[in-house]
Amino acid sequence: MILETITAAALGTTGIVGTSGASDEARLVANRLAGDRYRLRESYVLGGAGNDSLRNLCDTVDECGLPNWDGYGAAPVAEETFIYACHFLRTMPLGMPAPDVGVEADGDVTLEWHRSAYRTISVSVSPDADLHYSALIGPDKHYGTVAFLGDIPKVILDLIRTIYT
Amino acid sequence: MNESVASETISPEERLARFITSKHWLRAEGTVKPDAFIPPADLNLSVTRHIGLSEEQLLKVGQDVVRKVADKRTAALYGRADFVVKQLPAPLLAAPAPLIGNTNHAHVTGWPSEKPAQKNLAQRLAAVAVYVILK
């Protein structure tokens, strides 16, 4: 089941569409752009950090797919969470550093970009397509929730870029 | 275990340990991610008080935690994240929660119900926690 889900997520057949355009033409263009981006990414990061993130995501789901995977009563990672996390990684802009993959007690998958204790952002991917984020940038704290509608929300992209500038 | 500490209030100077039972809670650089501190649904984060325990006794408590999942997967105890009570960001507090077999068990309480606020507190706790590899 995991393998089928991985394949579907990688090929973009999850039903998650990265555009708000509703027409057939808009959908066609969006799918073609997504396909081009995916092929470009494959050639660009083959064997690199992006693939490591996807591999780590698969490992995480395999190891944390049962209740109480942490010995403290944690919830398992849901299939929907895995699909949204896959899609998040697939839609990351080219050139953006790959995140470290983790998991939380409530079964959310985390994607973390970390330079130091006070220059760090963690995004939790939930099974209901919410992205909960929190960033520490020096003394400043930024946190909130945004819906994942197929494209990575600007507030998260901007925070990731700030971590690395 | 130290039976006498079970009901004692926890002083701000006390050291607490959160056992690291998933490799996904660790960064490659050897620090602990905030993921390790996200509370479960009941908002009581399990920790163990160092007070009155030797390193060996602390290790045994961690091994008992891991033993609970050993029948489901290859379980491992990767280490522990240590911090001092006074390092807890407000409004978090530490309260004794003794268990049979671990009278030093405690809870970190005071977590908000909103996930982003939990993440922010967990991130600040991870920033001050020290990862200790258990030998």
Side-chain angles (χ1 to χ4, degrees):
Chain A
M1 188 62 202
I2 293 281
L3 193 61
E4 290 166 13
T5 308
I6 292 169
T7 308
L11 295 176
T13 55
T14 60
I16 305 165
V17 180
T19 177
S20 55
S23 70
D24 289 347
E25 290 80 6
R27 191 174 292 266
L28 185 68
V29 169
N31 283 343
R32 176 160 293 186
L33 281 175
D36 289 348
R37 187 165 48 185
Y38 183 68
R39 278 188 290 279
L40 184 58
R41 179 183 310 283
E42 283 259 282
S43 62
Y44 186 71
V45 297
L46 191 65
N51 284 353
D52 285 347
S53 292
L54 191 58
R55 246 192 313 275
N56 289 339
L57 175 61
C58 296
D59 286 351
T60 304
V61 174
D62 279 345
E63 292 170 23
C64 306
L66 292 172
N68 195 28
W69 50 262
D70 64 347
Y72 290 116
V77 177
E79 191 177 318
E80 292 84 353
T81 304
F82 173 74
I83 291 171
Y84 288 125
C86 259
H87 195 73
F88 189 109
L89 291 175
R90 201 167 60 85
T91 52
M92 273 175 48
L94 289 171
M96 182 156 281
D100 195 10
V101 178
V103 63
E104 293 169 327
D106 55 6
D108 284 359
V109 163
T110 61
L111 306 171
E112 186 186 57
W113 290 262
H114 179 86
R115 281 185 69 187
S116 68
Y118 293 96
R119 211 157 183 87
T120 184
I121 177 171
S122 172
V123 177
S124 299
V125 182
S126 75
D128 48 7
D130 279 338
L131 300 173
H132 307 291
Y133 65 90
S134 179
L136 297 180
I137 300 171
D140 298 330
K141 308 171 190 76
H142 308 261
Y143 54 95
T145 298
V146 283
F148 184 40
L149 302 174
D151 291 318
I152 301 174
K154 184 175 182 299
V155 63
I156 291 178
L157 288 176
D158 287 348
L159 285 169
I160 296 169
R161 290 189 180 110
T162 304
I163 298 294
Y164 290 96
T165 53
Chain B
M1 301 295 145
N2 189 344
E3 303 295 335
S4 64
V5 304
S7 57
E8 282 180 18
T9 54
I10 303 177
S11 93
E13 305 299 327
E14 259 196 61
R15 189 168 295 276
L16 303 177
R18 170 75 173 165
F19 291 108
I20 304 301
T21 57
S22 169
K23 67 181 179 188
H24 304 291
W25 289 351
L26 294 170
R27 302 188 184 101
E29 65 184 28
T31 55
V32 178
K33 291 182 186 178
D35 307 22
F37 300 107
I38 291 293
D42 66 3
L43 303 184
N44 289 318
L45 182 76
S46 280
V47 292
T48 295
R49 303 165 69 180
H50 280 235
I51 189 168
L53 295 183
S54 65
E55 284 285 319
E56 290 73 23
Q57 287 170 316
L58 204 50
L59 174 62
K60 185 182 176 304
V61 174
Q63 288 168 335
D64 287 344
V65 171
V66 165
R67 202 165 292 127
K68 288 189 213 165
V69 290
D71 58 333
K72 293 181 181 171
R73 64 174 173 87
T74 308
L77 180 62
Y78 293 89
R80 63 175 201 254
D82 282 353
F83 57 93
V84 176
V85 172
K86 66 184 177 187
Q87 291 178 308
L88 285 171
L92 300 183
L93 299 166
L99 297 173
I100 296 168
N102 180 12
T103 53
N104 277 43
H105 184 258
H107 283 143
V108 173
T109 62
W111 294 92
S113 56
E114 300 81 17
K115 183 67 184 282
Q118 289 177 3
K119 283 181 72 69
N120 176 260
L121 291 167
Q123 224 168 18
R124 290 157 63 192
L125 188 49
V128 296
V130 176
Y131 176 53
V132 179
I133 300 172
L134 297 182
K135 295 173 182 146

